[in-house]
Amino acid sequence: LKQVKATNMDETTHAASFKKHLNDLPYLTKVFALILGASVIVTNIAPSLQDLLALVPAYTIPCFWNIVTSGFYEVSAITAIFDVAAILFIGKKLEKVWGTKEYLKFVMLVNVLSSIATFFLFIILFAITKSEDIWFAHISGFAAGISGFVVAIKQMEPDQEIKLFAGVSIANKQLPLILMGLNLAFFVLGLPSESLPFSFFGLIISWTYLRFYQKKDQILGDMSDTFSFASFFPELIRPPATILGNIVFNLLVLLRCCNPSSLDSRSTSSAPSADGFDVEAAERRRARALRALDQRLEQMTAAAKTEVPTPEVRAKEIHEIV
């Protein structure tokens, strides 16, 4: 009986702990995870819905809503598990830091614009090749959102490391390159890579938004060198990456979607000063200092909670004083 009671107590404790962690998740984090999980179930119950919910170039003109739904419609259970894990670990942090409104704006912007860009890409490819495989291709999944997450976490905590196994760890700033490398490897090896366009456009669009448009503390964008497009790549590839980043910037200026003075603010704010002060290094030190401060505050809060005396102890202390 004691063993049964102990087992029941453990189960109750685990259930309470799970409920607490679930309640701690921000609202949209739970909603996005639920939608992606449910989409896999829907796919198995009604496979024909793929024509309506996935991005199919042949059907997009009448079924225009698939521009929105395709980014939240996942057909593979394995991919859905990966998506949900990314939402729970990275998306949760973004929503807590940015707030629900900005987080929703970011995810919707990246997903919808990536779907539109992919649609026009497939229209161009079909016009060139006349291939029905392209015209009736089904493109769906949260790949654009995942690209947006890794770009955002690179900006937010570039030097923070994720521990994998056997002492192996990767820094957040390496995640975008790793993600694109995996997508390209799948494509070259002939493995399922239908979401490659979503992933590629998601990376470009999320970087463009965070670089030039997101407003933080009355400051528009992030023009630091640590978040330049070239910073996503190794030294060998940075020159062509810099050219691509400049093309994106000049195109936005040409379309009057971006202020050309941003380029001046970038060169002014990111260059070392006359006394040799390295702004990039200072930014890294400041980020490390903030993380250390957060950890210290968490430790102090935990210590304060454990040091609060119980009512019995307080009564005993008062009795001794009297």
Side-chain angles (χ1 to χ4, degrees), residues 312-322:
E312 292 79 6
V313 173
R314 286 180 177 175
K316 184 177 179 182
E317 290 176 350
I318 294 172
H319 178 73
E320 290 177 353
I321 294 173
V322 174

Side-chain angles (χ1 to χ4, degrees), residues 97-98 102 155 209 213-222 286 290:
V97 173
W98 289 347
E102 176 61 24
Q155 180 200 35
Y209 173 72
Y213 296 107
Q214 189 183 51
K215 201 170 187 178
K216 293 181 183 177
D217 301 326
Q218 305 303 317
I219 298 174
L220 200 61
D222 180 358
R286 183 169 64 250
L290 288 173

Side-chain angles (χ1 to χ4, degrees), residues 53-55 65-73 115 139-142 198:
L53 299 178
L55 179 67
W65 56 82
N66 64 31
I67 290 291
V68 177
T69 59
S70 59
F72 299 96
Y73 181 68
S115 295
I139 311 105
S140 64
F142 198 64
F198 276 6

Side-chain angles (χ1 to χ4, degrees), residues 82-129:
F82 175 77
D83 293 341
V84 170
I87 290 173
L88 295 181
F89 286 98
I90 302 179
K92 175 184 72 173
K93 182 174 292 187
L94 297 179
E95 185 174 358
K96 285 184 176 180
V97 173
W98 289 347
T100 299
K101 184 178 179 180
E102 176 61 24
Y103 178 63
L104 176 62
K105 177 183 176 182
F106 176 76
V107 172
M108 294 302 297
L109 187 74
V110 171
N111 268 345
V112 171
L113 291 184
S114 296
S115 295
I116 293 174
T118 300
F119 170 71
F120 282 109
L121 173 65
F122 273 62
I123 291 295
I124 294 171
L125 291 176
F126 174 72
I128 295 172
T129 64

